[in-house]
């Protein structure tokens, strides 16, 4: 390392190093914070959509579960709209209701979880 003769040059170099280190740490910290906030907002929106579908589940007179979505939700989850999909599955992983024409699940059920689950996935599909 070169030996600096002036105290002023030492101070300037140390300030430059401090600014560079601070800039790097701030960039990393802000990137992490943005990612964390985005994921929280996304997870909350997915939870609200799952709750919106769950609010329209009823037990029918025959004891069977029924799903009667209003027209605005039917449009939102329609294949023509192509943005959102839903599937309601039972505790054994069998599909009870689905927005897909073939009444399939969105993803394989994981039996370890007991709460409402949702998945964000991008794909091109003919369902």
């Amino acid at each position: 390392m070169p030996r600096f003769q002036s105290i002023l040059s030492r101070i300037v170099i140390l300030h430059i190093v401090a600014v560079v280190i601070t800039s790097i740490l701030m960039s990393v910290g802000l990137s992490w914070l943005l990612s964390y906030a985005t994921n929280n907002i996304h997870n909350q929106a997915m939870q609200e959509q799952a709750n919106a579908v769950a609010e329209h589940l009823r037990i029918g007179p025959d004891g069977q579960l029924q799903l009667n979505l209003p027209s605005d939700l039917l449009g939102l989850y329609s294949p023509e709209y192509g943005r959102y999909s839903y599937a309601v599955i039972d505790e054994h992983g069998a599909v009870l209701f689905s927005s897909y024409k073939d009444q399939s699940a969105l993803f394989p059920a994981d039996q370890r979880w007991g709460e409402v689950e949702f998945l964000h996935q991008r794909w091109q599909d003919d369902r």
Side-chain angles (χ1 to χ4, degrees):
M1 184 164 147
R3 188 170 180 105
F4 298 105
Q5 300 299 325
S6 159
I7 188 82
L8 185 59
S9 63
R10 291 180 193 171
I11 291 172
V12 168
I13 293 298
L14 288 175
H15 275 87
I16 291 172
V17 168
V19 167
V20 167
I21 290 172
T22 302
S23 297
I24 291 170
L25 290 177
M26 287 297 290
S27 294
V28 169
L30 289 173
S31 295
W32 175 82
L33 186 61
L34 180 62
S35 174
Y36 179 77
T38 303
N39 284 338
N40 278 345
I41 290 169
H42 180 263
N43 289 343
Q44 183 179 5
M46 294 287 99
Q47 185 68 46
E48 288 171 2
Q49 288 181 8
N51 289 339
V53 170
E55 286 175 4
H56 300 284
L57 285 171
R58 302 281 184 264
I59 297 178
D62 59 353
Q64 296 293 326
L65 202 56
Q66 297 176 347
L67 178 63
N68 296 315
L69 292 177
S71 60
D72 61 331
L73 285 180
L74 283 174
L76 183 67
Y77 293 108
S78 71
E80 292 78 25
Y81 185 65
R83 182 158 178 174
Y84 298 113
S85 300
Y86 71 87
V88 178
I89 60 172
D90 66 10
E91 66 273 4
H92 304 293
V95 178
L96 302 175
F97 308 101
S98 176
S99 61
Y100 290 148
K101 291 177 184 174
D102 63 357
Q103 294 294 302
S104 63
L106 303 180
F107 58 97
D110 187 348
Q111 299 299 323
R112 297 174 294 175
W113 303 102
E115 297 182 19
V116 174
E117 297 180 38
F118 51 86
L119 171 74
H120 178 239
Q121 187 171 6
R122 296 178 190 266
W123 66 32
Q124 293 293 328
D125 195 12
D126 295 337
R127 296 182 192 196

